Amino acid sequence: MRIDLHTHSTCSDGTTTPAEVVAEAARSGLDVVALTDHDTTRGWDEAAAAAREHGIDLVPGIEVSCKHEGISIHLLAYLPPTDGELFAELEKARSSRLTRAQRMVERLGEDVEITYEQVLSVAGADATIGRPHMADALVANGVVANRSEAFERYLYNGSPYHVGHYALDPVRAVELVRAGGGVPVMAHPFAESRGRIVDEDVVRAMADAGLVGIEAHHRDHDASQVERALAIARERDLVVTGSSDFHGAGKPNRLGENTTAPDQYERLLAGASGGTEVVRARHRAV
């Protein structure tokens, strides 16, 4: 079995629709794919229909935006609840992203060609607005050649144009996911290329709160960072995952470039206790 547990669609900052993500996952030879858009479940139904059509299992998920002492943390929530306090927090985060995007675009617009209407146009009606959509607008206007250049020149953390947004405390996020029967996994925890990272005591606090797994195998982890994640997984008996973090054309990440071992996937599913279920298009036991 080939299992990729971290992908994004046009419902957040990917460039392909949920159905296209699933179709491409099937063409890439995956048996299982998770859709984990930022702070939203909007793509689940479309992805589920595509999974049944293409004969691939779908794990519904969310990538929850978290923050600890100003440092961004991403929490992958698999098979999470579809209502309750977690979703109230996610809606608060989505609203904050909109306000933040407007303020960032205002700052950018003083120096380069970009408007908020252009950002909304490239993002689409249902997307969770984020910096990648600002990057796409800058590309469309010829300000930069691609998303990477946009982040390097204008959108990096700490840039003169950067504005923060509301995000859950990671320990509280873990508690809310577990309370609703979902399975929380920390995404790319030691990816220093993305910016500042939290120290291992934060990961341990999340584990004490019910963290189930850690995403060790990821493009943004070098060999030493993979081993660091594996070491804390051994210490706390966490599930170890590997994923592509696919964004379509928005990033070079390719589906299936990192995968999760079947035994670890089985452990992950065993941690779920809510009403959200895997779409088992192949009707087979895991």
PDB file of all heavy atoms in Angstrom, residues 8 36 47 67 100 109 121 131 133 135 144 151 154 164 220 223 241 264 266 275 282 284-285:
ATOM      1  N   HIS A   8      -3.261  19.393  -0.423  1.00  0.00           N
ATOM      2  CA  HIS A   8      -4.074  20.610  -0.420  1.00  0.00           C
ATOM      3  C   HIS A   8      -4.725  20.834  -1.775  1.00  0.00           C
ATOM      4  O   HIS A   8      -4.149  20.498  -2.813  1.00  0.00           O
ATOM      5  CB  HIS A   8      -3.216  21.824  -0.065  1.00  0.00           C
ATOM      6  CG  HIS A   8      -2.640  21.751   1.307  1.00  0.00           C
ATOM      7  ND1 HIS A   8      -3.330  22.160   2.421  1.00  0.00           N
ATOM      8  CD2 HIS A   8      -1.448  21.284   1.754  1.00  0.00           C
ATOM      9  CE1 HIS A   8      -2.585  21.960   3.498  1.00  0.00           C
ATOM     10  NE2 HIS A   8      -1.435  21.431   3.114  1.00  0.00           N
ATOM     11  N   THR A  36      -6.183  17.552   3.260  1.00  0.00           N
ATOM     12  CA  THR A  36      -5.956  18.271   4.524  1.00  0.00           C
ATOM     13  C   THR A  36      -5.828  19.766   4.264  1.00  0.00           C
ATOM     14  O   THR A  36      -4.791  20.376   4.541  1.00  0.00           O
ATOM     15  CB  THR A  36      -4.695  17.740   5.222  1.00  0.00           C
ATOM     16  OG1 THR A  36      -3.598  17.772   4.285  1.00  0.00           O
ATOM     17  CG2 THR A  36      -4.884  16.322   5.714  1.00  0.00           C
ATOM     18  N   ALA A  47     -14.081  15.459  -2.857  1.00  0.00           N
ATOM     19  CA  ALA A  47     -12.998  14.476  -2.846  1.00  0.00           C
ATOM     20  C   ALA A  47     -13.534  13.065  -2.639  1.00  0.00           C
ATOM     21  O   ALA A  47     -13.040  12.102  -3.242  1.00  0.00           O
ATOM     22  CB  ALA A  47     -11.986  14.825  -1.760  1.00  0.00           C
ATOM     23  N   LYS A  67      -0.294  28.392  16.790  1.00  0.00           N
ATOM     24  CA  LYS A  67       0.815  29.310  17.049  1.00  0.00           C
ATOM     25  C   LYS A  67       1.224  29.196  18.511  1.00  0.00           C
ATOM     26  O   LYS A  67       0.383  29.100  19.412  1.00  0.00           O
ATOM     27  CB  LYS A  67       0.400  30.740  16.726  1.00  0.00           C
ATOM     28  CG  LYS A  67       1.535  31.747  16.707  1.00  0.00           C
ATOM     29  CD  LYS A  67       1.046  33.118  16.267  1.00  0.00           C
ATOM     30  CE  LYS A  67       0.602  33.112  14.824  1.00  0.00           C
ATOM     31  NZ  LYS A  67       0.214  34.459  14.340  1.00  0.00           N
ATOM     32  N   ARG A 100      -6.322  39.675   7.784  1.00  0.00           N
ATOM     33  CA  ARG A 100      -4.874  39.727   7.620  1.00  0.00           C
ATOM     34  C   ARG A 100      -4.492  39.894   6.153  1.00  0.00           C
ATOM     35  O   ARG A 100      -3.613  40.685   5.804  1.00  0.00           O
ATOM     36  CB  ARG A 100      -4.290  38.439   8.196  1.00  0.00           C
ATOM     37  CG  ARG A 100      -2.808  38.256   7.996  1.00  0.00           C
ATOM     38  CD  ARG A 100      -2.456  37.267   6.896  1.00  0.00           C
ATOM     39  NE  ARG A 100      -1.123  36.762   7.141  1.00  0.00           N
ATOM     40  CZ  ARG A 100      -0.775  35.507   7.029  1.00  0.00           C
ATOM     41  NH1 ARG A 100      -1.662  34.607   6.683  1.00  0.00           N
ATOM     42  NH2 ARG A 100       0.461  35.125   7.260  1.00  0.00           N
ATOM     43  N   GLY A 109       0.384  46.844  -1.861  1.00  0.00           N
ATOM     44  CA  GLY A 109      -0.094  47.726  -2.917  1.00  0.00           C
ATOM     45  C   GLY A 109       0.558  49.095  -2.925  1.00  0.00           C
ATOM     46  O   GLY A 109       0.485  49.815  -3.930  1.00  0.00           O
ATOM     47  N   SER A 121      -9.771  36.827  -6.771  1.00  0.00           N
ATOM     48  CA  SER A 121     -10.010  36.234  -8.084  1.00  0.00           C
ATOM     49  C   SER A 121      -9.167  34.986  -8.294  1.00  0.00           C
ATOM     50  O   SER A 121      -9.666  33.966  -8.781  1.00  0.00           O
ATOM     51  CB  SER A 121      -9.705  37.254  -9.181  1.00  0.00           C
ATOM     52  OG  SER A 121      -9.864  36.672 -10.463  1.00  0.00           O
ATOM     53  N   ARG A 131      -1.285  33.520   2.157  1.00  0.00           N
ATOM     54  CA  ARG A 131      -0.189  34.150   1.412  1.00  0.00           C
ATOM     55  C   ARG A 131       0.034  33.539   0.025  1.00  0.00           C
ATOM     56  O   ARG A 131       0.408  34.270  -0.903  1.00  0.00           O
ATOM     57  CB  ARG A 131       1.088  34.105   2.243  1.00  0.00           C
ATOM     58  CG  ARG A 131       1.098  35.107   3.390  1.00  0.00           C
ATOM     59  CD  ARG A 131       2.385  35.041   4.183  1.00  0.00           C
ATOM     60  NE  ARG A 131       2.483  33.797   4.941  1.00  0.00           N
ATOM     61  CZ  ARG A 131       3.565  33.421   5.619  1.00  0.00           C
ATOM     62  NH1 ARG A 131       4.655  34.187   5.596  1.00  0.00           N
ATOM     63  NH2 ARG A 131       3.571  32.294   6.310  1.00  0.00           N
ATOM     64  N   HIS A 133      -2.085  32.784  -2.137  1.00  0.00           N
ATOM     65  CA  HIS A 133      -2.966  33.466  -3.083  1.00  0.00           C
ATOM     66  C   HIS A 133      -2.437  34.858  -3.414  1.00  0.00           C
ATOM     67  O   HIS A 133      -2.561  35.327  -4.550  1.00  0.00           O
ATOM     68  CB  HIS A 133      -4.378  33.546  -2.515  1.00  0.00           C
ATOM     69  CG  HIS A 133      -4.960  32.207  -2.193  1.00  0.00           C
ATOM     70  ND1 HIS A 133      -5.314  31.850  -0.911  1.00  0.00           N
ATOM     71  CD2 HIS A 133      -5.197  31.125  -2.979  1.00  0.00           C
ATOM     72  CE1 HIS A 133      -5.779  30.607  -0.935  1.00  0.00           C
ATOM     73  NE2 HIS A 133      -5.705  30.150  -2.167  1.00  0.00           N
ATOM     74  N   ALA A 135       0.715  35.477  -3.481  1.00  0.00           N
ATOM     75  CA  ALA A 135       1.823  35.143  -4.372  1.00  0.00           C
ATOM     76  C   ALA A 135       1.316  34.929  -5.790  1.00  0.00           C
ATOM     77  O   ALA A 135       1.914  35.414  -6.767  1.00  0.00           O
ATOM     78  CB  ALA A 135       2.538  33.897  -3.870  1.00  0.00           C
ATOM     79  N   VAL A 144       6.534  38.956  -9.933  1.00  0.00           N
ATOM     80  CA  VAL A 144       7.497  37.882  -9.684  1.00  0.00           C
ATOM     81  C   VAL A 144       7.231  36.752 -10.670  1.00  0.00           C
ATOM     82  O   VAL A 144       6.172  36.702 -11.307  1.00  0.00           O
ATOM     83  CB  VAL A 144       7.400  37.344  -8.232  1.00  0.00           C
ATOM     84  CG1 VAL A 144       7.813  38.400  -7.224  1.00  0.00           C
ATOM     85  CG2 VAL A 144       5.980  36.856  -7.945  1.00  0.00           C
ATOM     86  N   PHE A 151       7.505  34.666  -2.079  1.00  0.00           N
ATOM     87  CA  PHE A 151       7.776  34.501  -0.651  1.00  0.00           C
ATOM     88  C   PHE A 151       9.164  35.023  -0.291  1.00  0.00           C
ATOM     89  O   PHE A 151       9.349  35.646   0.763  1.00  0.00           O
ATOM     90  CB  PHE A 151       7.623  33.030  -0.255  1.00  0.00           C
ATOM     91  CG  PHE A 151       6.212  32.658   0.100  1.00  0.00           C
ATOM     92  CD1 PHE A 151       5.299  32.319  -0.881  1.00  0.00           C
ATOM     93  CD2 PHE A 151       5.779  32.677   1.418  1.00  0.00           C
ATOM     94  CE1 PHE A 151       3.984  31.993  -0.566  1.00  0.00           C
ATOM     95  CE2 PHE A 151       4.473  32.360   1.757  1.00  0.00           C
ATOM     96  CZ  PHE A 151       3.569  32.021   0.759  1.00  0.00           C
ATOM     97  N   TYR A 154       8.752  39.117  -0.807  1.00  0.00           N
ATOM     98  CA  TYR A 154       7.683  39.933  -0.223  1.00  0.00           C
ATOM     99  C   TYR A 154       6.915  39.294   0.927  1.00  0.00           C
ATOM    100  O   TYR A 154       6.415  40.009   1.799  1.00  0.00           O
ATOM    101  CB  TYR A 154       6.661  40.297  -1.317  1.00  0.00           C
ATOM    102  CG  TYR A 154       7.230  41.087  -2.460  1.00  0.00           C
ATOM    103  CD1 TYR A 154       7.430  40.490  -3.701  1.00  0.00           C
ATOM    104  CD2 TYR A 154       7.557  42.429  -2.305  1.00  0.00           C
ATOM    105  CE1 TYR A 154       7.944  41.218  -4.771  1.00  0.00           C
ATOM    106  CE2 TYR A 154       8.073  43.174  -3.362  1.00  0.00           C
ATOM    107  CZ  TYR A 154       8.275  42.553  -4.593  1.00  0.00           C
ATOM    108  OH  TYR A 154       8.790  43.271  -5.639  1.00  0.00           O
ATOM    109  N   GLY A 164       0.310  39.113  11.072  1.00  0.00           N
ATOM    110  CA  GLY A 164      -0.065  37.843  11.686  1.00  0.00           C
ATOM    111  C   GLY A 164      -1.567  37.609  11.641  1.00  0.00           C
ATOM    112  O   GLY A 164      -2.344  38.501  11.290  1.00  0.00           O
ATOM    113  N   ASP A 220      10.654  19.013   3.505  1.00  0.00           N
ATOM    114  CA  ASP A 220      11.335  20.103   4.200  1.00  0.00           C
ATOM    115  C   ASP A 220      12.131  19.650   5.415  1.00  0.00           C
ATOM    116  O   ASP A 220      12.644  20.493   6.160  1.00  0.00           O
ATOM    117  CB  ASP A 220      10.317  21.169   4.611  1.00  0.00           C
ATOM    118  CG  ASP A 220       9.707  21.866   3.411  1.00  0.00           C
ATOM    119  OD1 ASP A 220      10.330  21.836   2.328  1.00  0.00           O
ATOM    120  OD2 ASP A 220       8.605  22.428   3.539  1.00  0.00           O
ATOM    121  N   ALA A 223      18.010  14.974   6.641  1.00  0.00           N
ATOM    122  CA  ALA A 223      18.207  13.686   7.323  1.00  0.00           C
ATOM    123  C   ALA A 223      18.262  13.846   8.833  1.00  0.00           C
ATOM    124  O   ALA A 223      17.705  13.027   9.582  1.00  0.00           O
ATOM    125  CB  ALA A 223      19.473  13.016   6.806  1.00  0.00           C
ATOM    126  N   THR A 241       4.475   9.394  10.395  1.00  0.00           N
ATOM    127  CA  THR A 241       3.894   9.516   9.058  1.00  0.00           C
ATOM    128  C   THR A 241       4.900  10.136   8.093  1.00  0.00           C
ATOM    129  O   THR A 241       5.877  10.774   8.492  1.00  0.00           O
ATOM    130  CB  THR A 241       2.610  10.367   9.058  1.00  0.00           C
ATOM    131  OG1 THR A 241       2.936  11.732   9.330  1.00  0.00           O
ATOM    132  CG2 THR A 241       1.614   9.847  10.077  1.00  0.00           C
ATOM    133  N   GLN A 264       1.859   1.964  10.374  1.00  0.00           N
ATOM    134  CA  GLN A 264       1.661   3.243  11.050  1.00  0.00           C
ATOM    135  C   GLN A 264       0.293   3.829  10.710  1.00  0.00           C
ATOM    136  O   GLN A 264      -0.378   4.423  11.567  1.00  0.00           O
ATOM    137  CB  GLN A 264       2.766   4.225  10.647  1.00  0.00           C
ATOM    138  CG  GLN A 264       4.155   3.780  11.058  1.00  0.00           C
ATOM    139  CD  GLN A 264       4.291   3.617  12.568  1.00  0.00           C
ATOM    140  OE1 GLN A 264       4.174   4.593  13.319  1.00  0.00           O
ATOM    141  NE2 GLN A 264       4.530   2.395  13.019  1.00  0.00           N
ATOM    142  N   GLU A 266      -2.352   2.046  10.107  1.00  0.00           N
ATOM    143  CA  GLU A 266      -3.297   1.261  10.900  1.00  0.00           C
ATOM    144  C   GLU A 266      -3.376   1.778  12.330  1.00  0.00           C
ATOM    145  O   GLU A 266      -4.461   1.892  12.912  1.00  0.00           O
ATOM    146  CB  GLU A 266      -2.871  -0.209  10.882  1.00  0.00           C
ATOM    147  CG  GLU A 266      -3.873  -1.157  11.489  1.00  0.00           C
ATOM    148  CD  GLU A 266      -3.482  -2.608  11.291  1.00  0.00           C
ATOM    149  OE1 GLU A 266      -2.741  -2.906  10.350  1.00  0.00           O
ATOM    150  OE2 GLU A 266      -3.936  -3.432  12.110  1.00  0.00           O
ATOM    151  N   GLY A 275     -17.270  10.295  14.557  1.00  0.00           N
ATOM    152  CA  GLY A 275     -18.178   9.850  13.505  1.00  0.00           C
ATOM    153  C   GLY A 275     -17.645  10.005  12.097  1.00  0.00           C
ATOM    154  O   GLY A 275     -18.230   9.477  11.150  1.00  0.00           O
ATOM    155  N   ARG A 282     -12.277   1.091  -2.051  1.00  0.00           N
ATOM    156  CA  ARG A 282     -11.874  -0.247  -2.494  1.00  0.00           C
ATOM    157  C   ARG A 282     -12.488  -1.346  -1.677  1.00  0.00           C
ATOM    158  O   ARG A 282     -12.270  -2.523  -1.954  1.00  0.00           O
ATOM    159  CB  ARG A 282     -10.343  -0.345  -2.455  1.00  0.00           C
ATOM    160  CG  ARG A 282      -9.697   0.624  -3.443  1.00  0.00           C
ATOM    161  CD  ARG A 282      -8.186   0.534  -3.428  1.00  0.00           C
ATOM    162  NE  ARG A 282      -7.648   1.465  -4.424  1.00  0.00           N
ATOM    163  CZ  ARG A 282      -6.736   1.154  -5.320  1.00  0.00           C
ATOM    164  NH1 ARG A 282      -6.254  -0.051  -5.381  1.00  0.00           N
ATOM    165  NH2 ARG A 282      -6.293   2.062  -6.177  1.00  0.00           N
ATOM    166  N   ARG A 284     -11.904  -2.692   1.192  1.00  0.00           N
ATOM    167  CA  ARG A 284     -10.970  -3.710   1.666  1.00  0.00           C
ATOM    168  C   ARG A 284     -10.536  -3.363   3.088  1.00  0.00           C
ATOM    169  O   ARG A 284     -10.580  -2.221   3.510  1.00  0.00           O
ATOM    170  CB  ARG A 284      -9.732  -3.774   0.771  1.00  0.00           C
ATOM    171  CG  ARG A 284      -9.088  -2.417   0.546  1.00  0.00           C
ATOM    172  CD  ARG A 284      -7.790  -2.579  -0.208  1.00  0.00           C
ATOM    173  NE  ARG A 284      -7.313  -1.323  -0.752  1.00  0.00           N
ATOM    174  CZ  ARG A 284      -6.831  -0.322  -0.028  1.00  0.00           C
ATOM    175  NH1 ARG A 284      -6.760  -0.413   1.281  1.00  0.00           N
ATOM    176  NH2 ARG A 284      -6.412   0.798  -0.593  1.00  0.00           N
ATOM    177  N   ALA A 285     -10.128  -4.359   3.811  1.00  0.00           N
ATOM    178  CA  ALA A 285      -9.628  -4.136   5.152  1.00  0.00           C
ATOM    179  C   ALA A 285      -8.270  -3.480   5.092  1.00  0.00           C
ATOM    180  O   ALA A 285      -7.470  -3.727   4.181  1.00  0.00           O
ATOM    181  CB  ALA A 285      -9.516  -5.462   5.912  1.00  0.00           C
TER     182      ALA A 285
END
